[in-house]
Amino acid sequence: METYSSQNEYLNAVTSRAVLPAGFQAGVTSLSFFPAEIDRAKEYKMNMALILLERPSPSFHALFTNNLFCGAPVIIGRQRLKEKLCRGIIINNKISNVAAPTGEADQEKVLATLGDTLKENPRSFLPASTGIIGWSLPVTEMCEKIPLLVSNMQKESLLPVARAMMTTDAYPKVRSVRCGDGVIVAAAKGAGMIEPNLATMLVFILTDLTVRRKQLATCLSQAAENTLNRISVDSDQSTSDMAIMLSSNMKPAIDRHTLLGALTEVLGKLAEDIVRNGEGVSHVIKATVTSAPTLELAKRAGKALINSPLVKTALFGNDPNVGRLVSALGDCFGSIGFRLPRRRLTLRLGGIEIFSQDRFQLDGETEVQLQAYLKECAYSLAGHFPPHNRSVEISIDLGTGKEEATVLGADLSYDYVKENASYRS
Amino acid sequence: METYSSQNEYLNAVTSRAVLPAGFQAGVTSLSFFPAEIDRAKEYKMNMALILLERPSPSFHALFTNNLFCGAPVIIGRQRLKEKLCRGIIINNKISNVAAPTGEADQEKVLATLGDTLKENPRSFLPASTGIIGWSLPVTEMCEKIPLLVSNMQKESLLPVARAMMTTDAYPKVRSVRCGDGVIVAAAKGAGMIEPNLATMLVFILTDLTVRRKQLATCLSQAAENTLNRISVDSDQSTSDMAIMLSSNMKPAIDRHTLLGALTEVLGKLAEDIVRNGEGVSHVIKATVTSAPTLELAKRAGKALINSPLVKTALFGNDPNVGRLVSALGDCFGSIGFRLPRRRLTLRLGGIEIFSQDRFQLDGETEVQLQAYLKECAYSLAGHFPPHNRSVEISIDLGTGKEEATVLGADLSYDYVKENASYRS
């Protein structure tokens, strides 16, 4: 995994990646408010961010969480996909606007004010919110700040937006790739192991490459399926997850295959950034399932491993308790009725074979090697930023087909419990 | 929940519950061995226990884990269910005999030695093992101890067996109920929050009530479905879980309905004991789903709540982060495609309504009440043994049907991570 020798060097790299594509502007502002829900005497801060197309574009699409109790931005965003044109995205952190008493009306007020200020149809803006569930947006304070937000727009960098939408994120996350005469730039919010706000993942992907709406939608779905949908940190799907892609169509089109490849590269790296982000993550886990009968089963087996609390805690403790890997897979397969002949399974940890022929392939020396491997893969502050330069590689060969999938996860640490036991205090 | 003013008082109660039914004997022994797998210089201790019917009985049944990579005792146990008669159960802790090089042959050697010693068909014994996965049983040492084990049998109490099979259990767990002229006595091994060995749950149920094998099997399955299958501490299903029921048929039969009720009562209390057992459990969580369209959905919704790491960590922190409850349910329903009209859901925490009409019903005062409630429900050493006298009660009314289910779980604490990160060290 990519690392830098200091936080500054990382930020320099992110800065150089964050140059906006042609036809885009970005800006941020912040405000103070007193939440009605808990204690009006306590002041909270919120950031707002705006991504703007210089001209409305027909080339946009969004993917949303599957959570039934999704937030107002998701409900409104789904409606906006029926619109012909998109002008931009307005984002806030601190409050996710989920199941608040007048959630949708609140968000529409913010969008209406934005439309008024820019003399644009409010239905051409998509909303995105992340933060505490259940609280109401401070609508008055947000609307008051919109003129300032609009007057602060610049054409240079997406980095201020990547920073403004952070909640418990340890650092801003931006990736980009040049292709043809254009560029794809994407920023993500979402915090690996430390996911107090239900791992809310916001991803905004901007490009100037000309692409028809339908093709953009297909490429986004396919690329996300192989990247953003292959990470799982605590198995919870947020009420507010979304990924939005916009094109300004200002540069020549490239072929579909190249576009999909570039998008997959950008989202793949962002997905990795999200998992690596958490301070509580001691080990990043990469589980690769091969020779599976179906893709669905490959993903399911991989996720069963990276979501097992017993696997996660063992890896946190640098304990090669390989029995837990086999048991987590056996539990998954037994539960879904997949009768894999047990001899077909081959498991490797860090390239070392640990299970095959229905038996553990272990001895004292292997145990020592595995322990050393896990220690090497652990979080290290020695000259790395972000502080994970290696992942724990688990390979699961099912010996029964041709499908494969790789999923990314993280271990389960004291810091995870600490952060999540006291998120709102 | 039942509590006692001291550990001694608890043990007195367990002792009085553990009186063996007519026609049974029980005994224990222990041994030392040097595991081949890690370090032959380090000595380990193992307990062995034997439950014996004075005469072989046709009235027996067992339920086994669904885990594909189940242990040798499960594989052999399934075969034993085809036998006409059962004479008893031989149990060991420390090593679960899962995927060891000669696992089944090892276990059969122990059973053969037992058969020789008692002049009984070895196929009339069921094996049960719990402990580390992947290691081999110390067969020689175990066989050497069998004559001593057999000579140590007594007719008084199941308590020594309940103690001998403990691994990380904090205390022995025995429940009993009298019905008709007989009694049902059951012991369980399995350790709530602290489940280093994949929550392995061993349950042995002994009765002297006359019952035909088929009826015994049906009652056991039904009672377990509503009790042992309704607890989930870290969502992992062990390679070695089993529940075995034996009858000596020495007392008159009772009607089926009464038997099922008594069995459900005993197993329900044992299930609660298992969840309450862990030292790392700060809160026991009881989630009751009502007005569900199907029983399956009621169980699934309840388990989605008690298995969500974000719900579990919030409760550990006494944080009434009710957004996480709604989100966990929304994630579950969204994932399985259950389109509950959102207004139908009513959620209560400790009897206090927190969500209805698609909105959180919260204010500053409710927040204070909920915090106080969670603190009251937390682990307390003040005059209670076991140290959980209350559970966090969550009620989920789906407003769409007539089915209901209650599931029991536990919060996610530092001690869980600690215990599970260093289980084998």
Side-chain angles (χ1 to χ4, degrees):
Chain A
M1 296 189 285
E2 261 171 309
T3 49
Y4 300 88
S5 63
S6 69
Q7 187 159 1
N8 266 346
E9 203 184 297
Y10 171 80
L11 290 175
N12 288 342
V14 169
T15 304
S16 70
R17 286 175 205 153
V19 177
L20 282 167
F24 282 93
Q25 298 182 355
V28 300
T29 189
S30 67
L31 57 91
S32 301
F33 67 101
F34 295 89
E37 285 78 6
I38 53 156
D39 180 356
R40 288 185 175 277
K42 187 168 173 188
E43 194 178 55
Y44 277 70
K45 287 208 99 180
M46 171 184 279
N47 295 326
M48 289 171 72
L50 182 61
I51 295 171
L52 216 53
L53 281 153
E54 289 173 359
R55 276 179 304 213
S57 166
S59 299
F60 70 101
H61 190 63
L63 306 172
F64 297 105
T65 179
N66 214 9
N67 194 307
L68 181 66
F69 291 98
C70 56
V74 173
I75 294 170
I76 293 171
R78 286 205 177 98
Q79 295 162 2
R80 292 295 196 266
L81 290 188
K82 293 170 194 151
E83 299 295 324
K84 287 208 166 60
L85 295 170
C86 180
R87 180 74 197 280
I89 311 163
I90 185 162
I91 306 148
N92 70 273
N93 72 354
K94 197 60 82 182
I95 293 179
S96 61
N97 196 15
V98 175
T102 54
E104 289 163 58
D106 291 352
Q107 205 106 28
E108 290 285 12
K109 271 186 212 159
V110 173
L111 294 167
T113 305
L114 181 62
D116 283 351
T117 310
L118 283 163
K119 313 229 179 309
E120 183 69 72
N121 182 351
R123 290 201 303 277
S124 65
F125 294 101
L126 287 154
S129 303
T130 176
I132 292 167
I133 291 176
W135 289 11
S136 294
L137 291 179
V139 179
T140 308
E141 293 85 342
M142 291 174 78
C143 289
E144 278 172 11
K145 283 286 183 174
I146 284 179
L148 181 65
L149 178 61
V150 166
S151 70
N152 273 346
M153 303 302 285
Q154 43 79 24
K155 296 181 180 187
E156 283 72 41
S157 177
L158 187 58
L159 186 55
V161 174
R163 277 190 194 284
M165 66 181 169
M166 287 164 61
T167 52
T168 52
D169 302 59
Y171 44 82
K173 291 171 278 293
V174 180
R175 292 285 178 169
S176 65
V177 62
R178 307 215 119 264
C179 48
D181 294 334
V183 66
I184 302 173
V185 182
K189 177 263 154 186
M193 191 68 176
I194 306 295
E195 302 189 19
N197 193 36
L198 295 140
T200 288
M201 181 172 73
L202 301 181
V203 180
F204 305 115
I205 308 136
L206 316 180
T207 186
D208 43 16
L209 292 162
T210 297
V211 53
R212 278 177 299 112
R213 183 161 179 176
K214 199 174 164 188
Q215 191 175 91
L216 180 148
T218 315
C219 285
L220 177 60
S221 299
Q222 288 182 2
E225 179 53 34
N226 292 322
T227 54
L228 303 176
N229 285 344
R230 298 280 172 88
I231 59 177
S232 181
V233 175
D234 51 14
S235 69
D236 280 309
Q237 178 187 218
S238 152
T239 52
S240 307
D241 295 332
M242 59 173 74
I244 302 175
M245 181 166 176
L246 307 177
S247 172
S248 65
N249 289 326
M250 288 182 69
K251 302 283 180 178
I254 56 172
D255 72 280
R256 191 189 167 286
H257 186 74
T258 311
L259 178 66
L260 178 61
L263 196 53
T264 303
E265 183 189 329
V266 165
L267 295 186
K269 288 183 174 168
L270 269 185
E272 200 177 82
D273 288 342
I274 290 172
V275 176
R276 295 171 78 187
N277 173 93
E279 283 179 43
V281 176
S282 176
H283 296 84
V284 171
I285 309 168
K286 183 180 273 183
T288 302
V289 181
T290 53
S291 305
T294 65
L295 178 61
E296 190 50 40
L297 195 103
K299 285 189 282 182
R300 194 145 178 177
K303 286 201 173 176
L305 268 198
I306 61 171
N307 283 330
S308 159
L310 291 165
V311 169
K312 288 156 75 96
T313 45
L315 294 180
F316 168 63
N318 294 313
D319 179 4
N321 192 332
V322 296
R324 292 186 182 172
L325 300 178
V326 172
S327 183
L329 289 173
D331 185 6
C332 167
F333 297 157
S335 297
I336 63 178
F338 171 56
R339 306 309 297 171
L340 176 77
R342 290 167 41 151
R343 293 189 163 270
R344 294 284 180 88
L345 175 70
T346 304
L347 263 184
R348 288 185 184 81
L349 179 58
I352 302 169
E353 189 172 299
I354 54 174
F355 187 92
S356 63
Q357 301 295 320
D358 198 21
R359 297 289 177 248
F360 288 96
Q361 307 297 330
L362 297 174
D363 55 31
E365 198 180 322
T366 311
E367 178 92 9
V368 171
Q369 282 177 350
L370 293 172
Q371 269 183 20
Y373 172 71
L374 291 179
K375 278 182 190 156
E376 281 164 28
C377 291
Y379 176 102
S380 155
L381 284 171
H384 305 299
F385 192 89
H388 300 95
N389 62 330
R390 295 183 61 179
S391 54
V392 176
E393 312 265 345
I394 304 174
S395 94
I396 304 118
D397 190 311
L398 300 183
T400 55
K402 293 187 169 179
E403 296 296 333
E404 59 179 79
T406 297
V407 298
L408 275 184
D411 61 2
L412 177 50
S413 68
Y414 297 121
D415 284 349
Y416 176 84
V417 176
K418 184 175 175 187
E419 179 94 6
N420 282 292
S422 59
Y423 174 48
R424 303 188 311 163
S425 58
Chain B
M1 295 191 285
E2 261 173 309
T3 50
Y4 300 88
S5 63
S6 70
Q7 187 159 0
N8 265 346
E9 202 183 298
Y10 171 81
L11 291 174
N12 288 341
V14 169
T15 304
S16 70
R17 287 175 204 153
V19 177
L20 283 167
F24 283 93
Q25 298 181 356
V28 300
T29 189
S30 66
L31 56 92
S32 301
F33 68 101
F34 296 89
E37 286 78 6
I38 55 158
D39 180 356
R40 286 184 177 278
K42 187 169 174 187
E43 194 178 54
Y44 277 69
K45 288 209 96 176
M46 173 184 280
N47 295 326
M48 288 172 73
L50 182 61
I51 295 170
L52 215 52
L53 281 153
E54 289 173 0
R55 277 180 301 211
S57 165
S59 299
F60 70 103
H61 190 63
L63 306 174
F64 297 106
T65 179
N66 213 9
N67 194 308
L68 182 66
F69 291 97
C70 56
V74 173
I75 295 170
I76 294 170
R78 286 206 177 98
Q79 295 162 2
R80 292 295 195 265
L81 290 188
K82 294 171 194 149
E83 298 295 323
K84 287 208 168 61
L85 294 170
C86 180
R87 180 74 196 279
I89 311 163
I90 184 162
I91 306 148
N92 71 273
N93 71 355
K94 197 61 82 185
I95 293 179
S96 61
N97 195 14
V98 175
T102 53
E104 288 163 59
D106 291 352
Q107 205 106 29
E108 290 285 12
K109 271 186 211 157
V110 174
L111 294 166
T113 305
L114 181 61
D116 283 351
T117 310
L118 283 163
K119 313 230 180 306
E120 183 67 72
N121 182 350
R123 289 202 302 280
S124 65
F125 294 100
L126 287 155
S129 302
T130 177
I132 291 167
I133 291 178
W135 289 11
S136 293
L137 291 179
V139 179
T140 310
E141 293 85 344
M142 290 173 79
C143 289
E144 277 172 11
K145 283 286 182 172
I146 285 178
L148 181 64
L149 178 60
V150 165
S151 71
N152 272 345
M153 302 303 285
Q154 42 80 24
K155 295 181 180 190
E156 283 72 40
S157 177
L158 187 58
L159 186 56
V161 175
R163 277 190 193 284
M165 66 180 168
M166 285 164 61
T167 53
T168 53
D169 302 60
Y171 43 83
K173 289 170 280 293
V174 180
R175 292 285 179 169
S176 66
V177 61
R178 307 215 121 263
C179 48
D181 294 334
V183 66
I184 303 173
V185 182
K189 178 264 156 186
M193 190 70 175
I194 305 296
E195 304 190 19
N197 193 36
L198 296 142
T200 289
M201 181 171 73
L202 301 181
V203 180
F204 305 115
I205 308 137
L206 316 180
T207 186
D208 43 17
L209 292 162
T210 297
V211 54
R212 279 176 299 112
R213 182 163 180 174
K214 199 173 164 188
Q215 191 175 89
L216 180 147
T218 315
C219 284
L220 176 62
S221 299
Q222 289 181 2
E225 178 53 34
N226 292 322
T227 54
L228 303 176
N229 285 343
R230 297 281 171 89
I231 60 176
S232 182
V233 175
D234 51 15
S235 69
D236 280 310
Q237 179 186 217
S238 151
T239 52
S240 307
D241 295 331
M242 60 172 72
I244 302 175
M245 182 166 174
L246 308 176
S247 173
S248 65
N249 290 326
M250 288 183 68
K251 302 284 179 176
I254 55 172
D255 72 280
R256 191 189 167 285
H257 187 75
T258 310
L259 178 66
L260 178 60
L263 196 53
T264 304
E265 183 188 327
V266 166
L267 295 186
K269 287 182 176 170
L270 268 185
E272 200 177 80
D273 288 342
I274 290 172
V275 177
R276 293 171 79 186
N277 173 94
E279 283 180 42
V281 175
S282 176
H283 296 85
V284 171
I285 309 168
K286 184 181 273 182
T288 302
V289 181
T290 53
S291 305
T294 65
L295 177 61
E296 190 51 39
L297 194 103
K299 285 189 282 183
R300 195 144 177 179
K303 287 201 173 174
L305 268 198
I306 63 172
N307 284 330
S308 159
L310 290 166
V311 168
K312 289 156 74 97
T313 45
L315 294 179
F316 168 62
N318 294 312
D319 179 4
N321 193 333
V322 295
R324 292 185 183 173
L325 301 178
V326 172
S327 183
L329 290 172
D331 185 7
C332 166
F333 297 157
S335 298
I336 62 179
F338 171 54
R339 307 308 297 171
L340 176 75
R342 290 167 40 153
R343 295 189 160 269
R344 294 284 180 88
L345 175 69
T346 304
L347 263 184
R348 288 186 184 78
L349 179 57
I352 301 168
E353 189 173 300
I354 54 173
F355 187 91
S356 63
Q357 301 294 319
D358 197 21
R359 297 289 175 246
F360 288 97
Q361 307 297 330
L362 298 173
D363 55 31
E365 199 181 319
T366 312
E367 178 92 10
V368 171
Q369 282 178 350
L370 293 172
Q371 270 184 20
Y373 172 71
L374 291 178
K375 279 182 192 158
E376 282 165 27
C377 291
Y379 176 101
S380 157
L381 285 170
H384 305 299
F385 192 89
H388 299 96
N389 61 330
R390 296 182 62 178
S391 53
V392 176
E393 311 264 346
I394 303 174
S395 96
I396 304 117
D397 190 311
L398 300 183
T400 54
K402 292 186 171 181
E403 296 296 332
E404 59 178 81
T406 296
V407 298
L408 274 184
D411 61 4
L412 176 50
S413 68
Y414 297 121
D415 284 350
Y416 176 85
V417 176
K418 184 176 175 186
E419 179 94 6
N420 282 293
S422 58
Y423 174 49
R424 302 187 312 165
S425 59

